[in-house]
């Protein structure tokens, strides 16, 4: 069966080809493939930022776009930046997935956010809203031989909601 064209993935592949051409021309190049990066001030255009904001506002019902069971490999921006620096310091010449290897369903992220906000909402799934790829979890083999992520998703949720709750 033919898979639908993935313009996001194709754009990344083209970028890596360009990087390899720059490398062949003598430019120092390190290729990183960050997975679902997040941080305390992430835009609400992304699931983590949107869920944190919904929990901050104690929204009930708590809306989840797409499918509550779609899975992402969330990696904190501090681990992404520290990982990139470690990759450069180690002069790793292979493309590296910046990921934790831990798949988290959207419903679990929503529950973490609500738990930290100390409330129990109903969850409303809008399967007509955009969802993206159903499953995206990275192979950590190379990354974790260079750098081990330090911040768990729950720690990231606590940091994001930390001082903003009533």
């Amino acid at each position: 069966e033919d898979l639908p064209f993935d313009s996001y993935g194709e754009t990344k592949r083209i970028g890596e080809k360009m990087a390899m051409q720059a490398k062949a021309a003598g430019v120092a190049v390190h290729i990183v493939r960050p997975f679902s990066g997040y941080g305390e001030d992430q835009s609400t255009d992304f699931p983590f930022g949107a869920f944190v904001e919904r929990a901050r506002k104690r929204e009930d019902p708590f809306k989840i776009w797409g499918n509550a069971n779609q899975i992402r490999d969330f990696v904190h921006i501090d681990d992404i930046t520290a990982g990139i620096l470690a990759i450069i310091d180690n002069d790793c010449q292979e493309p590296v997935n910046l990921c934790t290897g831990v798949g988290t369903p959207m419903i679990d992220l929503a529950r973490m956010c609500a738990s930290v906000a100390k409330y129990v909402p109903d969850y409303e799934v809008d399967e007509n809203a955009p969802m993206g790829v159903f499953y995206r979890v990275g192979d950590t083999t190379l990354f974790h031989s260079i750098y081990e992520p330090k911040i768990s998703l729950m720690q990231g949720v606590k940091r994001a909601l930390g001082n903003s709750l009533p």
Side-chain angles (χ1 to χ4, degrees):
E1 175 180 53
D2 289 332
L3 296 175
F5 180 73
D6 178 1
S7 59
Y8 177 78
E10 184 62 17
T11 301
K12 290 191 172 264
R13 283 188 286 281
I14 290 168
E16 286 187 16
K17 286 181 183 179
M18 292 171 62
M20 296 313 283
Q21 290 172 344
K23 182 178 179 177
V27 176
V29 171
H30 297 88
I31 297 173
V32 296
R33 297 172 176 161
F35 276 64
S36 296
Y38 71 94
E40 289 79 3
D41 61 350
Q42 186 171 42
S43 165
T44 57
D45 293 336
F46 298 92
F48 183 87
F51 284 16
V52 164
E53 187 62 21
R54 289 174 189 144
R56 184 176 286 123
K57 292 178 177 177
R58 301 175 69 82
E59 289 184 9
D60 192 359
F62 191 113
K63 292 181 185 166
I64 300 171
W65 281 18
N67 179 309
N69 295 310
Q70 60 192 332
I71 294 173
R72 294 292 179 272
D73 186 333
F74 291 99
V75 58
H76 194 276
I77 188 63
D78 289 354
D79 285 322
I80 290 174
T81 55
I84 290 170
L85 293 173
I87 289 162
I88 293 168
D89 288 346
N90 285 276
D91 198 27
C92 183
Q93 296 297 306
E94 299 174 59
V96 181
N97 293 332
L98 304 182
C99 56
T100 65
V102 176
T104 303
M106 291 297 168
I107 186 67
D108 289 356
L109 175 59
R111 288 178 178 141
M112 281 184 212
C113 291
S115 172
V116 170
K118 296 181 172 53
Y119 81 116
V120 182
D122 288 327
Y123 296 94
E124 180 180 292
V125 178
D126 182 354
E127 293 188 7
N128 294 317
M131 157 170 124
V133 175
F134 183 76
Y135 181 88
R136 184 175 286 142
V137 177
D139 178 348
T140 63
T141 307
L142 182 55
F143 185 41
H144 290 189
S145 73
I146 299 166
Y147 177 83
E148 273 297 322
K150 311 282 187 265
I151 302 165
S152 72
L153 183 53
M154 180 56 93
Q155 289 170 319
V157 169
K158 288 177 181 177
R159 283 183 179 194
L161 285 167
N163 296 326
S164 65
L165 296 173

